Amino acid sequence: MAIPFAVYATIIAIVILLMLYVKYSHSYWSKRGVPYLEPTSIFGNMENPFNLKVGHMFSFKRCYEELKKRKERFGGIYFFTEPIFMPIDPDLIKSILTKDFPHFHGRGFVHNEKHDPLAAHLLNLEGEKWKTMRIKVTPTFTSGKMKYMFQTLLDCGNPMIDHVSHLCEKEQNIDIKEIVACYTTDIIGSCAFGLECNSFKDPNAEFRLYGRKEKAKAEGTEPLTIEEIAAQAFLFFVAGFETSSTTITFCLHELAFNQDIQDKLREEIREVYQKHNGKLTYDGIMEMKYMDQVVNETLRKYPPLPILNRVCSIDYKIPDTNITLPKGTKVVISNLGIQTDEEYYPDPMTFSPERFSEENKATRPNYTFLPFGEGPRVCIGLRFGMMQTKTALAMLLNNFKLTPGDNENYNICFDPKSFILQKKGKVLLKAEELCA
Ligand code: HEM
């Protein structure tokens, strides 16, 4: 049967309207006199979402590099048809994240509290609601509470050591990514939900299965309601589990390929164990200076959240310009771009913890190391994330020498679909048990 002319005409009209809409949307920055990157397709400056090769996080990094090459302080880009403002200059980044925070207190993540009460968590909330919740949740992460939770970290670390020890006997490649995910799942389960999850004894434990499923999708004194508690605990599970587990995994990957750094770190760990009567303590972890450098270098090269998001909530005049960003403008800061910028980190793909010695840190401008964000919305779990990462590394390296697994490549192929930076597939290492 012949297709009527009217159907053809409608299809052609829709395509033309769509093209006009894209063209109109992509003229946003030029109309405002903002330096911008020419969109390369209907997907703006992003990759074709139906054929992702490196992922959007690397598209943002590329935009950062392009604007930097042009010596711009900032620039406009397009996420599909949506205009995005990208600051490049660290002073402007500081203004957005900290100095002029009242203009940028939200992230612009759309959520519907009524239909999805679990979405009413810190990451999504804005304005007064966010401020109130932040004040209520902050006391969870004091150093006193941190010390109290430290025993849980050890309790969850011991089954991990037993498990790796068992695999060592069989001399097989071990999937460190899965092992570390079990460790962080058990910690979040214990600390946020008061549950003993047993991911090592039972790899199909409900909590671990839930973690895998998550991965697949991607007023002051008033007490918290049960819905609010549930939403924050849910966020801690999502934000705290994947970010820390990916950090530990990348760090072990680098240490397996950099035996000199691994040995130096083990030496420090063992000295501190000895000083504290052969035990791993909270104070001992805090004393490990080289450990701090190694973890920071990991977070530099592999920031688990490779971009920071903000939305402009009050019109904002960009300092030292006549340009005003209207309310509603989305802002993306590419911390992956900044942290691999040659100007701040020469030879950026080399893993070198020396970059984080006190002397070297002092040579860099502020706001060029942002793995936890900055300003009033900085990661609330920063200390907890660092603590669980360092505890796992200290326990593993005190007991095992780690080397790359069979056919494991140094250069990592990242999962292009994940908004958290992580390796596609397994991370295989070999472990050899060491004498105490
Ligand atoms: C290595 C581990 C971690 C990394 C790299 C990390 C990174 C980040 C980053 C980049 C942000 C956004 C900051 C910004 O927009 O300026 C953030 C926010 C947040 N993180 Fe983390 N995070 C880690 C661990 C954790 C843990 C363990 C928890 C909780 C148990 C946690 C809870 C949160 C929460 C609640 C927010 C939202 C804060 C707010 O909007 O007020 N994070 N994190």
Side-chain angles (χ1 to χ4, degrees):
M1 199 180 69
I3 300 173
F5 172 76
V7 176
Y8 275 124
T10 313
I11 293 171
I12 290 168
I14 291 173
V15 170
I16 290 172
L17 280 175
L18 209 69
M19 282 165 66
L20 287 175
Y21 170 72
V22 171
K23 202 169 161 46
Y24 173 77
S25 306
H26 285 174
S27 64
Y28 184 89
W29 291 119
S30 66
K31 277 190 214 147
R32 278 161 185 78
V34 173
Y36 66 98
L37 296 183
E38 201 64 56
T40 47
S41 70
I42 54 166
F43 310 116
N45 304 97
M46 299 291 118
E47 250 192 310
N48 177 350
F50 304 106
N51 183 24
L52 282 178
K53 291 201 169 76
V54 291
H56 295 319
M57 297 304 153
F58 284 86
S59 296
F60 285 122
K61 176 178 183 271
R62 208 179 20 76
C63 292
Y64 172 91
E65 288 165 350
E66 191 57 40
L67 289 166
K68 177 88 188 201
K69 212 161 70 192
R70 296 190 197 174
K71 300 196 181 346
E72 301 291 0
R73 281 178 63 216
F74 53 82
I77 60 168
Y78 295 96
F79 183 80
F80 302 92
T81 51
E82 185 163 27
I84 302 282
F85 180 77
M86 179 174 275
I88 304 295
D89 170 32
D91 281 339
L92 181 57
I93 293 174
K94 179 179 177 183
S95 299
I96 289 173
L97 294 180
T98 308
K99 247 176 76 204
D100 299 322
F101 179 72
H103 290 262
F104 299 98
H105 58 74
R107 292 200 173 85
F109 296 163
V110 183
H111 71 282
N112 187 332
E113 226 171 286
K114 242 186 189 164
H115 293 115
D116 184 6
L118 283 185
H121 52 59
L122 268 180
L123 203 67
N124 284 342
L125 294 175
E126 295 186 2
E128 276 309 305
K129 274 192 177 172
W130 164 77
K131 202 167 154 193
T132 306
M133 186 59 74
R134 180 95 189 190
I135 292 169
K136 286 180 184 171
V137 175
T138 296
T140 316
F141 297 97
T142 59
S143 41
K145 295 263 173 55
M146 217 58 22
K147 271 190 182 178
Y148 179 73
M149 287 191 266
F150 187 69
Q151 187 53 45
T152 307
L153 304 193
L154 296 178
D155 292 345
C156 296
N158 287 328
M160 172 173 69
I161 299 300
D162 292 345
H163 187 70
V164 177
S165 180
H166 175 69
L167 294 176
C168 267
E169 284 165 20
K170 298 184 186 165
E171 286 184 18
Q172 45 178 265
N173 285 316
I174 58 174
D175 181 5
I176 203 73
K177 187 167 147 188
E178 176 62 20
I179 290 172
V180 168
C182 288
Y183 160 79
T184 52
T185 304
D186 284 2
I187 289 177
I188 294 290
S190 306
C191 293
F193 297 88
L195 298 171
E196 201 186 322
C197 306
N198 282 331
S199 297
F200 285 103
K201 277 188 217 143
D202 174 9
N204 289 323
E206 215 171 314
F207 228 65
R208 179 70 197 113
L209 287 180
Y210 189 67
R212 286 199 197 109
K213 221 167 96 194
E214 263 311 304
K215 208 168 110 196
K217 287 194 290 193
E219 233 97 315
T221 53
E222 290 278 305
L224 293 171
T225 65
I226 191 72
E227 287 83 7
E228 285 174 329
I229 292 172
Q232 308 323 305
F234 172 73
L235 171 63
F236 289 174
F237 176 61
V238 176
F241 143 71
E242 198 91 44
T243 47
S244 303
S245 103
T246 190
T247 306
I248 303 167
T249 305
F250 283 132
C251 189
L252 292 172
H253 167 85
E254 285 288 350
L255 294 176
F257 280 92
N258 289 288
Q259 287 295 317
D260 50 335
I261 300 176
Q262 187 182 145
D263 291 344
K264 186 169 170 186
L265 180 56
R266 183 176 300 104
E267 207 173 295
E268 178 183 74
I269 293 167
R270 290 193 158 185
E271 263 172 32
V272 174
Y273 261 84
Q274 251 181 4
K275 191 175 155 205
H276 292 265
N277 305 319
K279 287 199 179 109
L280 189 59
T281 63
Y282 177 85
D283 294 333
I285 294 267
M286 300 303 278
E287 284 167 26
M288 296 180 188
K289 290 215 165 73
Y290 191 61
M291 170 74 89
D292 198 55
Q293 290 180 217
V294 170
V295 175
N296 279 339
E297 176 63 351
T298 308
L299 289 166
R300 176 197 70 80
K301 195 171 166 191
Y302 308 100
L305 296 180
I307 57 166
L308 304 175
N309 300 80
R310 293 293 185 269
V311 64
C312 182
S313 47
I314 310 169
D315 287 1
Y316 182 66
K317 186 179 161 303
I318 303 171
D320 309 319
T321 70
N322 292 323
I323 300 168
T324 297
L325 295 179
K327 176 180 169 181
T329 307
K330 298 254 177 81
V331 178
V332 167
I333 298 167
S334 169
N335 41 356
L336 180 63
I338 296 167
Q339 294 176 184
T340 50
D341 184 333
E342 290 263 0
E343 183 187 341
Y344 312 126
Y345 302 97
D347 197 6
M349 288 304 119
T350 299
F351 187 81
S352 168
E354 291 315 314
R355 298 181 202 272
F356 288 90
S357 67
E358 289 307 319
E359 306 86 280
N360 288 337
K361 271 197 294 188
T363 62
R364 283 190 294 271
N366 289 333
Y367 290 78
T368 52
F369 180 60
L370 300 164
F372 293 99
E374 258 299 351
R377 287 206 86 144
V378 65
C379 172
I380 203 169
L382 186 160
R383 288 199 290 175
F384 187 68
M386 285 298 262
M387 187 54 69
Q388 64 176 334
T389 299
K390 291 175 179 179
T391 305
L393 293 173
M395 291 179 91
L396 284 166
L397 294 176
N398 186 40
N399 287 284
F400 307 102
K401 176 184 165 75
L402 300 167
T403 47
D406 296 331
N407 304 324
E408 194 66 7
N409 251 322
Y410 178 60
N411 290 328
I412 285 177
C413 184
F414 296 97
D415 182 351
K417 292 197 186 115
S418 173
F419 70 95
I420 287 186
L421 202 64
Q422 54 182 316
K423 190 186 168 203
K424 205 171 164 184
K426 296 177 177 180
V427 177
L428 296 178
L429 298 182
K430 285 196 166 160
E432 177 194 325
E433 196 144 15
L434 300 169
C435 329

